[in-house]
Amino acid sequence: MKHVLENVESQFEMFQILNEDGKIVNKDDMPDLSDEDLKEIMRRMVYTRILDQRSIALNRQGRLGFYAPTAGQEASQLGSQFALEQEDFILPGYRDVPQLIWQGLPLYQAFLFSKGHFHGNQFPEKLHALSPQIIIGAQYVQTAGVALGFKKRGKKNVAITYTGDGGTSQGDFYEGINFAGAYKAPAIFIVQNNRFAISVPVEKQTNSKTLAQKSVAAGIEGIQVDGMDVLAVYAATKDARDRAINGDGPTLIETLTYRFGPHTMSGDDPTRYRTEELDNEWAKKDPLVRFRKFLEGKKLWSEEDENKVIDEAKDDIKKAIKQAEEQPKQKVTDLIGNMYEELPSNLQEQMEIYKEKESK
Amino acid sequence: MAQMTMIQAITDAMRTELKNDENVLVFGEDVGQNGGVFRATEGLQDEFGEDRVFDTPLAESGIGGLAIGLALQGFRPVPEIQFFGFVYEVMDSISGQMARLRYRSGGHHTAPITVRAPFGGGVHTPEMHADSLEGLMAQQPGLKVVIPSTPYEAKGLLISAIRDNDPVIFLEHMKLYRSFRGEVPEEEYTVEIGKADVKREGKDVTLIAYGAMVHASLKAAEELEKDGVDAEVIDLRTVSPIDYETVLESVKKTGRAVVIQEAQRQAGVAANVMAEIQEKAILHLEAPVLRVAAPDTVYAFSDAEEVWLPNHSDIVEKVNAVMNF
């Protein structure tokens, strides 16, 4: 009798290109990125970190609504997004607003999403994406469909989706990767393993040593990546994308990462379930620190560059929050109007009632 | 005109739309080479190819998600849920996702999806196959819920559903699949969603029903005629949105109403119909509005099914009660 679990698990080693000191440890897999690309990735990570800090402050001032902090996960989020083409389709989880922004969602609309205004979800034509999914795992089954659609249309594009470590426990997670595998659909499934599903540690989520190995059961490629190393995440996503559009099917990418902040700004207190030691251990792996060291070593990044991005981000945020706050208040009549292509009689009747109410 | 069973009319509707629109895709468990467990998709894969008519892995939530993803790519998915009792497995994809897609995107995305499924009692199925769960669907804003009672309507309503730009739940009563034939035009035609049909005109009492209960109501009306009671029978055809205009017009004429559903008393849509009648036509009523429904238990084990399911005698009894009030 042969027991294979240990052998299977040992195959999933963490893929890394830059170590914590910003040194290349894996020259062979170094992606082909120009100096401009490298600087742009850094710019986006710094910008997104500032956006996170300002969003938390705005939430505390009551000027934003629902917000899930992103600091710590920039490499996972932006490294993967940087590997996409504009026509690719993103199905994000609730923490994945940065990917939408860098794929073309205007900042003021991201703020409107947070404030609970439907205009935040009326995406510009060039952005092929859904608004962030709230039901954990639902986006995984939808991704199989979007990807199959690309295949049926003969397009060289991918559907990419995101969930967290907790999401891998959902039935929809497995149904999604299994469907995409069965149809050899061009999909990329990203699991940002930030070690805690709200408070439950990943060790209590599953007996799997890695989340990447769950790909084996679905018969698709899987890889575990250092999610604090933006080059590794980029390279893994680019490889998955190339194989997907080549007809080689979907890939599951687990990124090992950490959210520095709380689960959301709605009362979560991470000190109830995470130790200071663990926080400190992961702070050393900060994706911005590591990539900054790497770029400074190549003389591609300076304090001046950094300050320029910070100013740019702060300026954009100021304008965007103003624009979001100037948006006309959402009306119940707008909500009624968005239910069906043609209003059925019950809603016609209710439309009249709310028109009257809202005219006062 | 051709004589068809309801299942043939349903196949014919899908064939018509697969021909009309290359974006129409038909898929589900066993719908490909096997033609579906009821043969609703018989021959469609051979005719239109595996790209358009295909099998899915055995997972209802996956089927629902697949439909949403394909809709986002501009397709018109027509997924089959093998039995509607399995809908609990796909509730999030239906009620949590496709019903809300237009709304949550402010009209940017739509879900032109038709979810087809057999349901309904009287055919001695195992558990979870026969339940009338239309009430669950009708309670979800964003969906339309259609239940045909004849082959003619099945074809016309299904074509309308597939062409609709919002999600439609299309429920096919298993007992009606092959129990009788009806005239069905071979050419394409539509029956409007959201419009009830007066199946029998009468002046004394209005019977409001849908699905298999339309036939029980017609049988009851025949019996009542012998006793001198002239019953009008309304087939709702769509249980969300409900055509209250037709219902109210009839009730204002007859002054009496009985609402009939196969679902349990606490389920279905009868309570909504009764509430609307009392809100909008109470001064026209000569008697309370009564209802015929199954008892509030889990769906009957098939050995007790015949007594559990409402039938024409139950309807006659309730009509006599409102006539003699």
Side-chain angles (χ1 to χ4, degrees):
Chain A
M1 200 180 291
K2 206 170 171 186
H3 295 134
V4 299
L5 180 61
E6 212 173 307
N7 289 337
V8 171
E9 283 184 327
S10 67
Q11 299 295 309
F12 287 87
E13 289 168 10
M14 185 181 79
F15 174 70
Q16 190 183 53
I17 291 175
L18 282 185
N19 68 11
E20 284 175 33
D21 301 323
K23 298 270 186 290
I24 294 177
V25 294
N26 176 1
K27 217 175 155 194
D28 293 348
D29 287 308
M30 179 66 193
D32 183 23
L33 289 165
S34 68
D35 287 353
E36 285 313 305
D37 285 339
L38 294 172
K39 286 171 75 172
E40 176 60 16
I41 291 171
M42 188 65 199
R43 186 181 83 85
R44 291 182 181 191
M45 290 209 293
V46 173
Y47 191 111
T48 304
R49 180 67 60 88
I50 297 299
L51 175 60
D52 185 61
Q53 291 167 357
R54 290 296 302 140
S55 297
I56 289 170
L58 288 164
N59 171 281
R60 289 194 174 126
Q61 292 164 20
R63 293 172 74 188
L64 280 184
F66 172 78
Y67 183 70
T70 57
Q73 298 189 205
E74 292 91 344
S76 295
Q77 296 182 325
L78 306 182
S80 54
Q81 187 274 332
F82 202 74
L84 302 181
E85 298 291 333
Q86 191 61 49
E87 297 286 311
D88 293 343
F89 200 107
I90 305 178
L91 295 96
Y94 51 81
R95 204 181 303 284
D96 303 310
V97 178
Q99 295 95 307
L100 295 177
I101 291 170
W102 293 109
Q103 194 79 1
L105 180 66
L107 201 48
Y108 87 96
Q109 284 188 278
F111 288 152
L112 282 173
F113 162 74
S114 169
K115 286 162 67 70
H117 191 301
F118 75 87
H119 181 53
N121 295 343
Q122 286 176 318
F123 290 171
E125 284 304 322
K126 67 167 180 181
L127 174 59
H128 302 275
L130 284 181
S131 49
Q133 180 58 251
I134 299 300
I135 299 301
I136 308 298
Q139 67 273 36
Y140 261 55
V141 283
Q142 295 165 9
T143 297
V146 174
L148 181 59
F150 277 133
K151 188 175 176 182
K152 287 190 182 296
R153 298 276 187 219
K155 287 195 179 164
K156 297 280 182 199
N157 287 101
V158 297
I160 186 168
T161 190
Y162 297 84
T163 191
D165 36 310
T168 65
S169 297
Q170 289 279 4
D172 276 356
F173 166 84
Y174 180 72
E175 290 186 30
I177 62 173
N178 186 58
F179 270 59
Y183 294 123
K184 274 209 164 191
I188 302 174
F189 297 97
I190 299 211
V191 175
Q192 296 179 74
N193 177 1
N194 66 16
R195 313 215 60 81
F196 293 88
I198 303 189
S199 69
V200 178
V202 68
E203 295 76 24
K204 289 189 179 166
Q205 204 66 245
T206 177
N207 195 44
S208 290
K209 269 212 187 100
T210 71
L211 301 178
Q213 77 196 56
K214 290 176 186 276
S215 60
V216 175
I220 69 172
E221 283 295 335
I223 183 171
Q224 187 186 61
V225 179
D226 183 345
M228 308 303 254
D229 171 3
V230 73
L231 291 180
V233 176
Y234 171 82
T237 313
K238 181 77 172 47
D239 176 67
R241 191 182 183 283
D242 289 346
R243 283 184 291 100
I245 62 171
N246 198 36
D248 296 336
T251 301
L252 177 67
I253 300 174
E254 174 191 11
T255 68
L256 294 176
T257 183
Y258 200 75
R259 72 170 142 76
F260 294 156
H263 164 63
T264 68
M265 293 305 293
S266 314
D268 179 47
D269 173 11
T271 64
R272 293 172 67 89
Y273 53 86
R274 295 195 311 213
T275 62
E276 215 181 315
E277 290 76 19
L278 191 66
D279 284 349
N280 292 338
E281 188 190 311
W282 280 89
K284 283 185 221 149
K285 299 178 196 279
D286 189 325
L288 273 68
V289 172
R290 181 185 312 198
F291 199 55
R292 189 183 290 118
K293 277 184 191 162
F294 169 70
L295 290 187
E296 281 169 354
K298 288 172 74 88
K299 304 245 181 295
L300 289 175
W301 198 254
S302 64
E303 207 181 318
E304 202 188 329
D305 291 319
E306 181 106 1
N307 288 332
K308 213 178 117 201
V309 184
I310 293 170
D311 289 345
E312 180 200 354
K314 284 184 175 166
D315 195 42
D316 287 354
I317 291 162
K318 215 172 169 179
K319 286 181 192 148
I321 192 72
K322 189 161 176 279
Q323 195 180 350
E325 285 170 345
E326 282 168 3
Q327 185 72 20
K329 202 170 151 50
Q330 183 167 267
K331 291 176 174 168
V332 175
T333 45
D334 293 333
L335 306 187
I336 292 174
N338 282 334
M339 285 306 302
Y340 296 94
E341 186 174 41
E342 283 175 47
L343 282 190
S345 56
N346 55 328
L347 284 177
Q348 278 172 23
E349 200 178 305
Q350 291 157 32
M351 181 70 110
E352 292 311 313
I353 295 167
Y354 281 89
K355 264 188 191 161
E356 171 76 19
K357 273 193 183 187
E358 287 173 341
S359 68
K360 282 172 192 161
Chain B
M1 212 181 284
Q3 290 282 321
M4 290 187 197
T5 60
M6 189 190 271
I7 195 95
Q8 287 169 332
I10 285 165
T11 312
D12 198 37
M14 282 189 276
R15 182 182 292 113
T16 303
E17 287 312 280
L18 280 161
K19 258 188 215 159
N20 273 337
D21 184 348
E22 62 181 18
N23 289 316
V24 172
L25 301 175
V26 171
F27 54 90
E29 297 155 4
D30 305 294
V31 309
Q33 206 48 51
N34 192 42
V37 292
F38 286 100
R39 306 289 176 263
T41 54
E42 174 108 68
L44 296 181
Q45 189 178 67
D46 284 343
E47 191 173 343
F48 297 98
E50 207 178 335
D51 194 45
R52 309 276 313 280
V53 179
F54 53 94
D55 287 325
T56 62
L58 203 167
E60 286 78 17
S61 184
I63 293 170
L66 196 73
I68 292 165
L70 288 164
L72 289 167
Q73 293 283 24
F75 290 100
R76 280 188 186 273
V78 187
E80 176 180 290
I81 300 300
Q82 198 159 63
F83 289 91
F84 204 58
F86 309 165
V87 73
Y88 298 110
E89 294 288 332
V90 62
M91 278 300 278
D92 179 56
S93 278
I94 293 176
S95 295
Q97 308 291 328
M98 59 181 84
R100 305 164 77 108
L101 198 56
R102 178 189 290 279
Y103 173 84
R104 73 191 290 261
S105 67
H108 185 66
H109 294 300
T110 57
I113 299 166
T114 303
V115 178
R116 285 184 44 250
F119 83 108
V123 290
H124 303 297
T125 54
E127 278 186 88
M128 305 301 295
H129 285 64
D131 299 48
S132 285
L133 301 175
E134 69 280 3
L136 292 178
M137 298 289 112
Q139 282 212 7
Q140 175 59 52
L143 301 176
K144 296 178 183 179
V145 186
V146 173
I147 304 178
S149 68
T150 67
Y152 174 85
E153 284 156 327
K155 179 173 171 181
L157 283 165
L158 184 51
I159 291 176
S160 292
I162 295 171
R163 292 180 186 176
D164 201 290
N165 286 330
D166 289 299
V168 178
I169 310 302
F170 193 88
L171 300 177
E172 304 162 3
H173 201 291
M174 285 184 272
K175 188 118 199 223
L176 303 182
Y177 266 160
R178 292 187 171 86
S179 57
F180 65 98
R181 286 171 187 272
E183 287 196 345
V184 178
E186 277 164 56
E187 64 272 16
E188 63 178 75
Y189 63 91
T190 56
V191 171
E192 193 181 341
I193 292 174
K195 278 272 176 279
D197 183 46
V198 179
K199 283 275 186 293
R200 182 187 200 277
E201 286 191 26
K203 60 180 184 351
D204 296 331
V205 58
T206 303
L207 308 185
I208 302 146
Y210 53 92
M213 286 297 116
V214 171
H215 300 282
S217 300
L218 288 167
K219 195 170 170 191
E222 273 174 39
E223 242 179 78
L224 288 161
E225 196 178 359
K226 291 176 204 154
D227 301 330
V229 177
D230 187 13
E232 181 145 305
V233 177
I234 293 178
D235 177 0
L236 288 178
R237 301 198 294 199
T238 301
V239 298
S240 178
I242 291 173
D243 177 7
Y244 289 121
E245 204 183 321
T246 300
V247 170
L248 292 170
E249 198 186 321
S250 173
V251 173
K252 285 175 185 173
K253 179 178 77 177
T254 62
R256 291 179 171 88
V258 175
V259 188
I260 303 110
Q261 66 182 18
E262 186 176 310
Q264 295 90 335
R265 194 176 161 90
Q266 71 183 59
V269 299
N272 270 347
V273 176
M274 295 164 83
E276 195 79 5
I277 293 171
Q278 76 83 20
E279 270 192 43
K280 298 209 172 130
I282 197 159
L283 294 178
H284 295 83
L285 292 178
E286 305 287 342
V289 180
L290 297 185
R291 86 185 105 175
V292 175
D296 290 332
T297 70
V298 167
Y299 189 88
F301 283 98
S302 55
D303 204 33
E305 205 173 25
E306 271 161 42
V307 181
W308 190 88
L309 285 168
N311 62 26
H312 69 280
S313 305
D314 301 322
I315 300 169
V316 169
E317 195 181 310
K318 287 288 162 94
V319 170
N320 286 332
V322 296
M323 293 311 295
N324 300 322
F325 179 74

